[in-house]
Amino acid sequence: MNILVTGSSGWLAQDLVPRLKRAEHTVIGLDPVPGPHTDVIGTVADRDLVRRTIRDHRIQGIVHAGALHKPQVATHDPARFIETNVQGTLNLLQEATAEGSTVDRFVFTSTTSLMISQEIRDAHRRGIERAFWIDEEMTTLEPRNIYGVSKLSAEHLCRMVHDATGLPIVILRTSRFFPEEDDMAHEIIQSGANTKANEFLFRRLTVHDAASAHIVALDRAPQIGFDTFIISALTPFSPEDCEQLMEYAPLVVHHYFPRYREIYARRGWTMFDYIDRVYDSNKAMRRMGFVCKTDFGDILAQLDREDGV
Ligand SMILES: NC(=O)c1ccc[n+]([C@@H]2O[C@H](COP(=O)([O-])OP(=O)(O)OC[C@H]3O[C@@H](n4cnc5c(N)ncnc54)[C@H](O)[C@@H]3O)[C@@H](O)[C@H]2O)c1
């Protein structure tokens, strides 16, 4: 298949593009920043460029991962988010469905961040007694920053274009897979590696799993038609745990992973005192047949191996 990957110089693409190529797809990368997987230097906001790229390369599948995202909220004007994330997505959708286009599937990289309102973000401070159980059924979406607002708008454009044209579109609301420290790191007691390990319980996945979800979505899009999936490492928790997760999370983690304390103690690691949200990725498993390969249990096993246990 001829596949256009936007954001081809980014973190996700460095895992995704080589794998698509190894599977014998022809991949055209588009990104304003040069990189080893980028063939077209330019922006999705340039509709002529988008049209030419789709036409000239007889693109069949689009993975739209290019975006301004969370780290840029602090540095970029909101108008740039609209231009890139909203107008850019509309350009791709319109050119993908224009007369003569060969595109027959579209995968949009979205974010779980758009499901997090300021109220959820501040839940613990506001004395809310239960962690939020977050799945695709959550319909009141009040993203708290321009990143989430622009991604939610782009999701609406996807739905609108699917309804009007039937183009198969799969939206992947991925949780964290960035390698850097959290931009709220000053609020977190644990080290970077400790924090990331903890997050695999409820809000993180590996970049490799994020790329795998895109590969599966591309493959399944024609059967799926249109749908939205949360993509995150499978959580061990259930909605019944939500009260205790907010009250004292280490007890809940101990219940599911009795050895975690011992493994963590060897490194001087600790669990978060409370967990205020859980992303449930079961729908992706049920409907798309996708499950992340790495979950918290695998992280513990990896720590054991590193320690020679
Ligand atoms: N990294 C995460 O933890 C995370 C979590 C949830 C969702 N996402 C989403 O996954 C996607 C990929 O993220 P990433 O971690 O690889 O980020 P990244 O910043 O490493 O990559 C994004 C790429 O998009 C490119 N880009 C920016 N403006 C563009 C434009 N106008 N046209 C085309 N490309 C443009 C950037 O140059 C960059 O190479 C993004 O859509 C992001 O919103 C990422």
Side-chain angles (χ1 to χ4, degrees), residues 6-13 30-33 42-45 64-70 72 84 109-112 147 151 174-179:
T6 71
S8 48
S9 299
W11 172 235
L12 175 69
L30 183 152
D31 199 300
V33 176
T43 166
V44 289
H64 179 29
L68 291 184
H69 68 123
K70 178 86 180 305
Q72 281 108 37
T84 301
T109 319
S110 190
T111 171
T112 48
Y147 172 50
K151 284 285 192 179
T174 61
S175 68
R176 311 181 141 186
F177 56 86
F178 56 78

Side-chain angles (χ1 to χ4, degrees), residues 41-193:
I41 309 264
T43 166
V44 289
D46 178 347
R47 184 156 172 186
D48 286 341
L49 179 71
V50 168
R51 178 184 310 124
R52 283 200 308 277
T53 306
I54 290 176
R55 295 301 161 105
D56 292 354
H57 298 280
R58 298 192 64 74
I59 296 298
Q60 295 157 299
I62 297 180
V63 175
H64 179 29
L68 291 184
H69 68 123
K70 178 86 180 305
Q72 281 108 37
V73 171
T75 54
H76 287 59
D77 191 81
R80 295 284 315 284
F81 276 81
I82 300 301
E83 178 188 300
T84 301
N85 296 359
V86 184
Q87 184 63 53
T89 304
L90 182 61
N91 289 345
L92 284 159
L93 290 165
Q94 287 189 311
E95 293 304 331
T97 54
E99 189 146 343
S101 160
T102 42
V103 176
D104 67 2
R105 64 198 70 193
F106 191 103
V107 177
F108 176 55
T109 319
S110 190
T111 171
T112 48
S113 170
L114 63 79
M115 308 178 82
I116 305 305
S117 62
Q118 197 60 46
E119 190 198 356
I120 298 178
R121 174 84 183 70
D122 295 341
H124 188 257
R125 200 167 51 75
R126 294 158 68 123
I128 292 173
E129 288 176 353
R130 289 176 59 83
F132 286 84
W133 188 262
I134 298 179
D135 61 19
E136 298 84 351
E137 300 297 303
M138 193 173 130
T139 46
T140 306
L141 298 177
E142 295 173 343
R144 68 194 185 284
N145 58 30
I146 188 65
Y147 172 50
V149 168
S150 64
K151 284 285 192 179
L152 183 56
S153 306
E155 285 194 3
H156 284 311
L157 292 172
C158 288
R159 182 193 38 77
M160 182 189 84
V161 168
H162 169 78
D163 287 348
T165 68
L167 176 68
I169 303 182
V170 176
I171 295 172
L172 301 178
R173 286 185 186 158
T174 61
S175 68
R176 311 181 141 186
F177 56 86
F178 56 78
E180 308 87 29
E181 299 279 308
D182 192 292
D183 57 1
M184 304 299 280
H186 57 280
E187 288 185 6
I188 298 172
I189 305 158
Q190 288 82 359
S191 71

Side-chain angles (χ1 to χ4, degrees), residues 138-277:
M138 193 173 130
T139 46
T140 306
L141 298 177
E142 295 173 343
R144 68 194 185 284
N145 58 30
I146 188 65
Y147 172 50
V149 168
S150 64
K151 284 285 192 179
L152 183 56
S153 306
E155 285 194 3
H156 284 311
L157 292 172
C158 288
R159 182 193 38 77
M160 182 189 84
V161 168
H162 169 78
D163 287 348
T165 68
L167 176 68
I169 303 182
V170 176
I171 295 172
L172 301 178
R173 286 185 186 158
T174 61
S175 68
R176 311 181 141 186
F177 56 86
F178 56 78
E180 308 87 29
E181 299 279 308
D182 192 292
D183 57 1
M184 304 299 280
H186 57 280
E187 288 185 6
I188 298 172
I189 305 158
Q190 288 82 359
S191 71
N194 185 173
T195 296
K196 287 196 185 98
N198 293 356
E199 288 175 348
F200 271 90
L201 287 160
F202 64 105
R203 66 174 309 187
R204 182 172 274 279
L205 74 168
T206 64
V207 66
H208 192 71
D209 278 333
S212 301
H214 286 74
I215 293 168
V216 172
L218 260 180
D219 183 48
R220 298 291 315 279
Q223 291 90 56
I224 290 171
F226 179 86
D227 216 335
T228 303
F229 299 100
I230 289 175
I231 303 294
S232 194
L234 214 53
T235 181
F237 305 135
S238 74
E240 291 71 47
D241 295 320
C242 283
E243 220 168 294
Q244 203 170 19
L245 281 172
M246 197 63 126
E247 201 179 303
Y248 192 58
L251 274 184
V252 191
V253 180
H254 177 77
H255 169 74
Y256 290 105
F257 299 97
R259 286 194 58 243
Y260 105 84
R261 281 202 179 113
E262 168 202 330
I263 296 168
Y264 266 39
R266 286 202 302 260
R267 295 172 175 249
W269 283 11
T270 53
M271 185 46 62
F272 300 142
D273 278 349
Y274 67 88
I275 287 175
D276 59 6
R277 74 191 72 164

